[in-house]
Amino acid sequence: MRALRTLAWAAALAAALAIQPASRAQENGARMERVADRQPGEGEGPYRRLVIRGATLVDGTGAPPRGPVDIVVAGNRIESIRAAGTPGLPIASDRAPRDADREIDATGMFVLPGFVDTHGHNGDPDKAPNATYGYRLWLAHGVTTVRGVGLYGGSDNMSLSDRQRSRDNTIVAPRLYAYVVLGDTWTVGAVNTPERARAFVRWAAEQGYDGIKFFNDPPAITQAAIEEARARGLGTVAHLGQGGVAETNGARAAEMGLHGITHFYGHFESVLAGRRLPNYPNDYNMFDEQWRFSQVARLADQIVEPGSPEWRAYLENLLERRVFMSPTFNIYSAGRDVMRARNADWHERYTLPSLQRFFQPSRTHHGSYFWDWTTADEIAWRRFYAPWMRLVNEYKNMGGRVTVGSDPGYIYQTWGFSYIQELEMLQEAGFSPLEVIQAATINGAREIFEPTGQEPPFGIVRAGMLADLVIVPGNPLENLKLLYGTGHMRLNPETQRVERVGGVRWTIKDGIVYDAPALLASVARMVEEARAREGARP
């Protein structure tokens, strides 16, 4: 999905030609607002010494939970992890260390590594004009790192400055890693030759970008840019959309040396049965977004048998080349049940009215293609998910790395909440809860750092790693819904009353302790203030 709002036809054209169009608001002079500086009380720390006491730890390596433990943090690093007692027995209250500047009582809570979102965008002036909205929602859901695959676009690009301000902890935001779309923000001219592609990558490296995102560039240009990016330690990821997948599908992109494939594009086009190209209806028009997204689901009827030798050969090709998959299951989930997506629990309190308007069926909003979405369309999408999820799960079972990306701001997906839905959908695909957490933590960290040749400094709870942590009341392995900012509704077994439980309690990023409910409350105020300004109703 794009980081910018665009006319539906322009979005399709951009996907075909790798052009980053301006949004309507930007064309009218509206600009993204600068994220305000972090204020006193917005996060506390880092501390000389912080101790999280009595927690159960899920460390992100894939190891089972263990506890109770005390986690000692010095500054922005984990200093030690200490056994705090025996399960089922009272815990001594006088255990070392006793000189902490702050202690968090995490009795009955689980601690996990901070989550990594490998597919992030900010909004644009039409739907979320200040990135603090998304940054706070991400942090409130335990997301401490975001790889922006176009955090901003065009003249509003504050990706690098936000990244630095986040590193300095002068804004309330996750860690940010900035990828730039091939050709975007460059003023030298079109990237229309391999030589210019290499020049663009050199420019991006000099500017300080962490990687390059591809859409649908000619193969020679894509190949040259990937080679230059690899030579300079930059990551690469591709959305292999319909406009260019006939020339570069997933198999071909992997052979070029691409680090990661996001979404589903490129996979099924690599395992078609009895043909090389998808069989589109003769009156198909890719610029018609409902046509485009409804027909995507019919692609599942054109592939080889899942599990067949051809299917396995494709996955082995990706595995041999160490390609990462970031499926972003959640961003298309409205296709299989649009009413559920439209009426999700969080919209009333946490979705901006401008974002709600963007989500409504429209021929001029990219991804708002439900202008006549039918039962048959939803059934086709439900059927599409079965082989897609199987492909991703089998890749994981073979040893392939799968990461968690949410692609928020489109198709009824609100920041933070969409990330937790992605975790749930990975479990639906066949991942065990521990495998889900591994995908959300160390796998995402490795996708960011592997191109650099360095080991990631976060993604695992271990002594010496950066103090990026999520503290959750209850056991998210038992129920991932406990991670939603709206919590989980259940019938209390003792009182027989309906209650909401869960929600992240604290998110620790770089040793700074953020109160997750307070972050959610600040977003709720933004929404209420926006409604008051507009005279809008929930």
Side-chain angles (χ1 to χ4, degrees), residues 50 54 65 74 107 127 171 183 226 266 277 298 329 347-348 367 381 406 420 429:
L50 164 71
T107 304
K127 54 184 180 180
I171 58 174
I226 290 173
L277 299 176
R298 274 70 175 185
F329 289 132
H347 288 318
E348 181 176 352
W381 266 98
S406 66
I420 306 307

Side-chain angles (χ1 to χ4, degrees), residues 112-114 144-145 175 458 461 466-470 508-511:
L112 303 88
T144 55
T145 299
R175 297 180 187 280
F458 54 81
V461 182
L466 289 170
D468 288 4
L469 304 167
V470 187
I508 302 177
K509 175 247 179 175
D510 209 28

Side-chain angles (χ1 to χ4, degrees), residues 481-494:
K481 292 185 186 300
L482 293 175
L483 296 169
Y484 280 114
T486 45
H488 167 57
M489 184 180 289
R490 70 173 189 181
L491 192 67
N492 185 297
E494 295 180 2

Side-chain angles (χ1 to χ4, degrees), residues 154-171:
S155 60
D156 279 345
N157 196 337
M158 292 180 276
S159 300
L160 296 178
S161 60
D162 276 10
R163 184 188 64 182
Q164 187 59 50
R165 296 174 73 203
S166 176
R167 287 176 178 175
D168 296 337
N169 290 312
T170 58
I171 58 174

Side-chain angles (χ1 to χ4, degrees), residues 4-330:
L4 298 173
R5 180 184 178 202
T6 165
L7 297 176
W9 65 266
L13 181 62
L17 302 179
I19 295 172
Q20 190 83 352
S23 75
R24 179 178 295 173
Q26 288 170 317
E27 290 171 350
N28 293 335
R31 301 294 298 273
M32 287 294 287
E33 301 165 3
R34 183 178 185 271
V35 175
D37 290 339
R38 184 164 70 97
Q39 298 300 305
E42 292 184 326
E44 298 178 338
Y47 297 93
R48 179 188 60 84
R49 179 163 285 174
L50 164 71
V51 182
I52 303 162
R53 295 211 180 267
T56 299
L57 174 63
V58 178
D59 66 14
T61 65
R66 66 184 190 271
V69 299
D70 292 340
I71 302 170
V72 182
V73 175
N76 70 340
R77 295 273 175 177
I78 299 169
E79 182 179 88
S80 64
I81 301 167
R82 308 179 181 199
T86 302
L89 295 178
I91 300 176
S93 60
D94 59 348
R95 55 194 190 276
R98 303 306 308 165
D99 63 342
D101 299 310
R102 178 174 178 181
E103 294 191 2
I104 293 175
D105 182 3
T107 304
M109 300 187 186
F110 275 63
V111 174
L112 303 88
F115 299 142
V116 180
D117 192 331
T118 57
H119 195 124
H121 302 294
N122 289 325
D124 64 42
D126 287 321
K127 54 184 180 180
N130 195 309
T132 195
Y133 171 74
Y135 291 161
R136 288 167 184 260
L137 284 172
W138 264 315
L139 282 172
H141 288 87
V143 176
T144 55
T145 299
V146 173
R147 180 182 67 173
V149 286
L151 270 177
Y152 295 89
S155 60
D156 279 345
N157 196 337
M158 292 180 276
S159 300
L160 296 178
S161 60
D162 276 10
R163 184 188 64 182
Q164 187 59 50
R165 296 174 73 203
S166 176
R167 287 176 178 175
D168 296 337
N169 290 312
T170 58
I171 58 174
V172 177
R175 297 180 187 280
L176 300 173
Y177 291 86
Y179 280 38
V180 62
V181 174
L182 185 67
D184 192 28
T185 74
W186 199 41
T187 60
V188 178
V191 178
N192 52 14
T193 67
E195 292 73 23
R196 291 181 72 80
R198 291 182 184 277
F200 175 85
V201 174
R202 290 192 294 271
W203 170 85
E206 291 166 0
Q207 296 298 306
Y209 284 100
D210 300 295
I212 310 296
K213 184 180 181 182
F214 299 88
F215 282 95
N216 296 99
D217 305 281
I221 289 174
T222 299
Q223 177 81 67
I226 290 173
E227 290 174 356
E228 192 70 28
R230 280 188 167 271
R232 295 181 179 274
L234 301 185
T236 55
V237 65
H239 169 148
L240 300 170
Q242 292 171 320
V245 73
E247 293 185 291
T248 305
N249 59 21
R252 181 72 186 96
E255 292 166 0
M256 290 179 176
L258 186 73
H259 287 115
I261 297 174
T262 190
H263 306 313
F264 54 79
Y265 299 105
H267 293 311
F268 283 0
E269 292 89 347
S270 301
V271 291
L272 294 170
R275 58 173 52 92
R276 196 181 68 80
L277 299 176
N279 185 26
Y280 299 112
N282 290 334
D283 60 344
Y284 177 77
N285 185 341
M286 189 179 73
F287 285 7
D288 180 323
E289 282 214 334
Q290 178 160 308
W291 228 165
R292 172 182 163 195
F293 284 98
S294 66
Q295 286 304 304
V296 159
R298 274 70 175 185
L299 193 60
D301 300 327
Q302 302 178 39
I303 61 173
V304 299
E305 185 68 26
S308 66
E310 297 89 346
W311 174 281
R312 294 280 300 180
Y314 173 62
L315 293 178
E316 288 167 359
N317 178 35
L318 299 187
L319 183 64
E320 180 183 352
R321 290 167 171 81
R322 300 179 61 80
V323 175
F324 286 86
M325 278 190 190
S326 177
T328 68
F329 289 132
N330 78 95

Side-chain angles (χ1 to χ4, degrees), residues 289-298 332-338 369-385:
E289 282 214 334
Q290 178 160 308
W291 228 165
R292 172 182 163 195
F293 284 98
S294 66
Q295 286 304 304
V296 159
R298 274 70 175 185
Y332 305 101
S333 60
R336 64 182 187 174
D337 191 345
V338 69
Y369 49 81
F370 301 99
W371 51 78
D372 191 15
W373 201 249
T374 68
T375 300
D377 291 326
E378 291 193 351
I379 291 169
W381 266 98
R382 289 169 198 157
R383 290 174 175 167
F384 178 83
Y385 268 103

Side-chain angles (χ1 to χ4, degrees), residues 511-527:
I512 296 175
V513 181
Y514 288 98
D515 184 314
L519 290 170
L520 288 169
S522 72
V523 171
R525 287 193 297 272
M526 291 180 202
V527 172

